[in-house]
Amino acid sequence: MEGVPSLRPVLAYEIEKGLNDQQRRAATQSGNLVVLAGPGSGKTRTLVARVGYLLETQISPHRGVAAITYTKHAAREIVDRLGRLGMKPGARLASNTLHSWCLSHILRPYSELVGRESPSELVVVDDKAKDWMNVLEMSLERAGIMAIPRQEKPAFTRLRRRLTVGDVGEVFDPMTVAVEAFEDLMSERGWIDYDMMISRSLSLLQDFPEIRSLVASKFPHIVVDEYQDLGPVLHALVTTLRDESGVAISAFGDPDQTVMGFTGADPKYLLELAESSSTVPLRINYRSGKAIIAASHAVLGEKRDHEAHPDRVDTGVIEPIPIGTGLHDHAKAVVRKIQDLTASGIPAHEIAVLYPRKGPLLSCLLFYFSHYELDFVHEKDEKLPDGDMADFIRACAARTVSGFQPPKVEMSADSVYTLRDLALQYKSMRRDGNLLDLPGREVDAILARLLHWDPQEDEPDLLDWFDSLVGELELDVVAQGNPRRLNADSIADFRECCVEHDLKLSDIVVGALRTGKFTLTTYHAAKGREWEVVIMPGLVDGIMPGRFWDKKSRSYPEPSPVRLAQDRLAFYVGLTRSKSAAVLIYGKYWETDWGKRIPLGVSRFVIDVLRHLREA
């Protein structure tokens, strides 16, 4: 450990858990830092240690750290882990998603002071909402682009973000006209979306040095997680604060895990930052055996210096399963494998089935899982509405089903919220809607009563439970007052969905209540997580990597180099989620929804793995 600064006692807990030399260097490095964290390398633990070290040793008690994350669950996890270290930084730590941080610490405090439109006067419209898609459709029509909005959304988003930072040529592009029309239509309606929050924050920082100074004074150090997936606008915002106001930046990420390329994310931004910062690689993979690590390198086609923990005895397993027929038999093979695994003692919640996107593969999986009455959690079923209000209701359901003694799992994004956490979330939503606290009643006491259920009794009726929760907490009023339109409509949508799909209380829970159920999710949603066994069916060219029907050529053309690279990284991410075994189910053809056979051959990613296995 020579040459590595010693940590303050508050971080002793992390050291005792086994921070290695690389992680300690990353936690205690001075100045600007880039941490290149490979799969399973203890990135979150190191990031938390970094935040704690900065707060305790590098920043005065009157200043703080901004921790910018990709999801609100990751933001919560940072606070939770610091709490377990005995740290209660309070307002000194702003652990937020990027858009939430921009809204809370740039737009709201400073917009009106410099004559810009206040976000409090705007309605937040989510890009998943029907209203947002309608504006996109009108924008495309104004630009003379006759296309399906949902299909054009990725290209539109990429260009929109590049235009924000000036990363475009001067060649006329009708999509540029569509972006300009979109911004105008949103402003006319008094609406704002998440991209506008970030772009307007960047504009304030670039145009007003005094705002930069105020932000830098409050947060002299910014820590950013998943830097490779947060795109060009974040990079411009970060470099503006660093270069113009002296804010120190710590960026954590992995170029090989860039899975959001379709929205404009590019590993080049992380690598550019690394050129002007101290760089610490985290090489030891604590998750996977060396056989899985070696196979993942074969997928990338390049050698990496990741290695398994030296004390690990088992090497992990790569199990290829060839299927001579179509996707229906892929799904049947998944069912058999899950039955074999659970019969051998593998808990169902330690098994994940990954798929790339909606389509015939997902349809087959859902059909056979239902046919064989398997219990599973489908995270992308999109039945229930999105938004903070819907998340709060589902978290309340998880707390109810878990009882007052939730499953004893390490605190993470999947853990059950405490009653206190739920009360704080509820009060925050009331403040967002400019509502006063409930008169004469304690939210904590209401939640304790509403969320109590004796496991010895029958599970509460979902609609009765839902109506009581909504009525006593005035959730319909809170939702209507929320500036985010997705939240405003969520109560009625949530109840309607529960009735339409005949859901039970246990069907809507989120969190760690997954005992007896395996996970069905996308490659993208699997990022940052791990399971003992990962099953990857449908590994046929056209499914993974994806190919899409071209009307002009009446064929499924070869994917573009950019799309192929994105799918390769997604496959790499999926493979490296496995701790003990990765099951690869592959074949030579697949069928369309109307039964046409598409014989494009075995997925080239599986071919890379099979070649590696033969050579090894």
Side-chain angles (χ1 to χ4, degrees):
M1 297 292 183
E2 185 177 353
V4 179
S6 61
L7 296 176
R8 290 280 292 273
V10 75
L11 296 182
Y13 179 82
E14 287 294 340
I15 298 172
E16 290 169 3
K17 286 185 65 176
L19 282 182
N20 61 38
D21 187 38
Q22 296 165 355
Q23 293 168 335
R24 290 193 62 187
R25 283 181 53 213
T28 59
Q29 188 76 40
S30 61
N32 296 308
L33 170 72
V34 169
V35 179
L36 299 176
S41 60
K43 180 197 67 174
T44 302
R45 181 189 307 168
T46 308
L47 186 151
V48 170
R50 175 68 169 170
V51 172
Y53 174 79
L54 293 170
L55 287 169
E56 287 290 293
T57 69
Q58 302 297 301
I59 296 173
S60 78
H62 306 293
R63 297 188 177 191
V65 172
I68 296 175
T69 64
Y70 191 74
T71 67
K72 61 185 177 183
H73 297 295
R76 173 197 167 210
E77 187 169 4
I78 293 173
V79 176
D80 288 340
R81 289 199 185 199
L82 285 173
R84 298 211 309 277
L85 291 172
M87 292 187 66
K88 302 292 183 183
R92 293 186 66 217
L93 173 63
S95 185
N96 306 101
T97 61
L98 176 57
H99 67 264
S100 178
W101 186 76
C102 287
L103 184 64
S104 299
H105 299 285
I106 301 177
L107 291 181
R108 281 178 175 160
Y110 306 121
S111 293
E112 288 186 286
L113 296 179
V114 294
R116 297 284 177 90
E117 191 173 28
S118 171
S120 62
E121 300 172 356
L122 302 173
V123 173
V124 181
V125 180
D126 192 280
D127 65 359
K128 298 177 182 177
K130 183 178 180 180
D131 290 331
W132 192 95
M133 294 301 296
N134 289 340
V135 173
L136 175 58
E137 184 175 14
M138 294 173 63
S139 304
L140 294 173
E141 289 176 355
R142 287 192 181 186
I145 301 174
M146 306 307 295
I148 299 173
R150 193 168 298 278
Q151 293 179 352
E152 296 298 322
K153 181 182 173 183
F156 176 85
T157 300
R158 285 196 302 272
L159 180 60
R160 189 181 175 199
R161 294 175 180 178
R162 290 176 58 202
L163 285 169
T164 297
V165 299
D167 183 23
V168 290
E170 298 183 359
V171 179
F172 173 78
D173 184 348
M175 192 66 81
T176 303
V177 178
V179 171
E180 294 172 351
F182 182 89
E183 300 285 338
D184 291 341
L185 288 168
M186 292 287 283
S187 295
E188 289 172 9
R189 287 161 170 74
W191 293 352
I192 188 172
D193 66 0
Y194 292 146
D195 273 325
M196 293 170 73
M197 289 181 191
I198 304 170
S199 62
R200 291 186 182 187
S201 297
L202 175 61
S203 177
L204 284 175
L205 294 176
Q206 291 176 333
D207 295 346
F208 298 97
E210 57 272 31
I211 294 179
R212 290 199 302 269
S213 297
L214 288 168
V215 173
S217 178
K218 186 175 183 180
F219 300 114
H221 207 118
I222 296 177
V223 179
V224 187
D225 192 17
E226 303 290 359
Y227 199 95
Q228 78 284 348
D229 271 332
L230 289 171
V233 188
L234 165 77
H235 185 62
L237 189 150
V238 160
T239 53
T240 296
L241 286 171
R242 182 195 63 179
D243 298 341
E244 302 297 332
S245 300
V247 174
I249 306 298
S250 294
F252 287 69
D254 180 7
D256 293 332
Q257 296 187 69
T258 306
V259 298
M260 302 303 292
F262 59 92
T263 65
D266 193 315
K268 71 178 183 181
Y269 302 117
L270 178 62
L271 297 175
E272 284 177 9
L273 202 66
E275 292 176 359
S276 55
S277 308
S278 298
T279 303
V280 177
L282 302 184
R283 296 190 178 94
I284 297 178
N285 185 330
Y286 291 87
R287 175 189 304 143
S288 305
K290 63 181 182 181
I292 296 171
I293 296 171
S296 71
H297 294 168
V299 173
L300 293 176
E302 301 174 6
K303 179 62 179 173
R304 295 290 186 266
D305 55 5
H306 309 146
E307 57 187 38
H309 191 279
D311 294 337
R312 178 161 180 163
V313 177
D314 67 294
T315 62
V317 175
I318 298 290
E319 181 183 356
I321 299 179
I323 300 294
T325 48
L327 295 180
H328 286 274
D329 286 329
H330 283 241
K332 292 177 184 178
V334 173
V335 171
R336 289 194 297 271
K337 177 54 64 176
I338 290 172
Q339 291 172 336
D340 291 344
L341 288 169
T342 53
S344 70
I346 301 293
H349 62 269
E350 285 287 359
I351 302 170
V353 180
L354 306 185
Y355 65 96
R357 57 188 65 85
K358 283 185 175 181
L361 172 62
L362 177 59
S363 299
C364 288
L365 291 171
L366 291 174
F367 174 82
Y368 284 100
F369 291 169
S370 174
H371 177 74
Y372 286 96
E373 299 182 340
L374 300 182
D375 287 330
F376 64 100
V377 177
H378 184 200
E379 298 180 332
K380 290 292 181 179
D381 57 12
E382 298 179 353
K383 291 177 183 177
L384 295 167
D386 291 315
D388 297 333
M389 180 61 70
D391 289 345
F392 174 76
I393 294 171
R394 299 184 71 186
C396 286
R399 181 70 209 191
T400 303
V401 173
S402 73
F404 284 92
Q405 297 294 327
K408 291 185 178 180
V409 296
E410 182 177 345
M411 182 61 71
S412 71
D414 287 334
S415 299
V416 179
Y417 282 79
T418 66
L419 291 175
R420 187 60 183 156
D421 288 335
L422 293 171
L424 291 174
Q425 285 186 39
Y426 174 74
K427 292 174 182 178
S428 176
M429 289 191 294
R430 289 190 72 91
R431 287 193 297 270
D432 288 342
N434 295 314
L435 298 173
L436 298 176
D437 286 340
L438 286 175
R441 294 188 289 178
E442 283 292 329
V443 174
D444 306 58
I446 296 173
L447 285 171
R449 176 167 47 81
L450 290 177
L451 306 187
H452 174 71
W453 167 53
D454 185 350
Q456 302 300 319
E457 301 176 359
D458 292 336
E459 182 176 295
D461 177 78
L462 173 57
L463 295 182
D464 290 344
W465 177 90
F466 180 85
D467 291 339
S468 296
L469 189 73
V470 170
E472 296 211 37
L473 290 177
E474 301 177 354
L475 293 186
D476 49 350
V477 177
V478 177
Q480 287 301 316
N482 195 284
R484 189 179 177 194
R485 287 180 67 91
L486 198 64
N487 288 326
D489 300 333
S490 60
I491 295 295
D493 292 345
F494 203 110
R495 195 181 198 284
E496 181 181 344
C497 178
C498 292
V499 173
E500 180 181 353
H501 296 285
D502 193 24
L503 299 179
K504 302 188 298 294
L505 183 63
S506 55
D507 292 330
I508 70 169
V509 301
V510 293
L513 307 178
R514 300 184 175 194
T515 302
K517 297 182 180 182
F518 66 90
T519 300
L520 174 65
T521 192
T522 63
Y523 288 73
H524 291 83
K527 188 169 179 292
R529 302 164 67 185
E530 60 184 32
W531 295 269
E532 283 294 334
V533 181
V534 169
I535 305 173
M536 304 168 71
L539 298 178
V540 187
D541 202 305
I543 300 294
M544 192 62 181
R547 295 202 197 190
F548 302 92
W549 179 253
D550 180 68
K551 292 182 179 179
K552 292 182 180 180
S553 64
R554 299 187 62 79
S555 67
Y556 291 89
E558 177 75 10
S560 69
V562 172
R563 181 178 287 277
L564 180 61
Q566 291 173 3
D567 275 359
R568 184 176 295 278
L569 292 183
F571 183 84
Y572 170 81
V573 167
L575 186 62
T576 55
R577 300 310 92 195
S578 55
K579 293 192 283 187
S580 299
V583 180
L584 310 182
I585 301 176
Y586 64 95
K588 294 183 178 180
Y589 72 86
W590 53 280
E591 310 94 339
T592 64
D593 290 331
W594 54 91
K596 180 178 174 60
R597 181 179 294 189
I598 311 297
L600 296 174
V602 175
S603 166
R604 63 199 75 188
F605 308 146
V606 173
I607 291 175
D608 292 337
V609 174
L610 294 176
R611 184 184 300 116
H612 159 74
L613 293 177
R614 286 195 299 271
E615 293 172 354

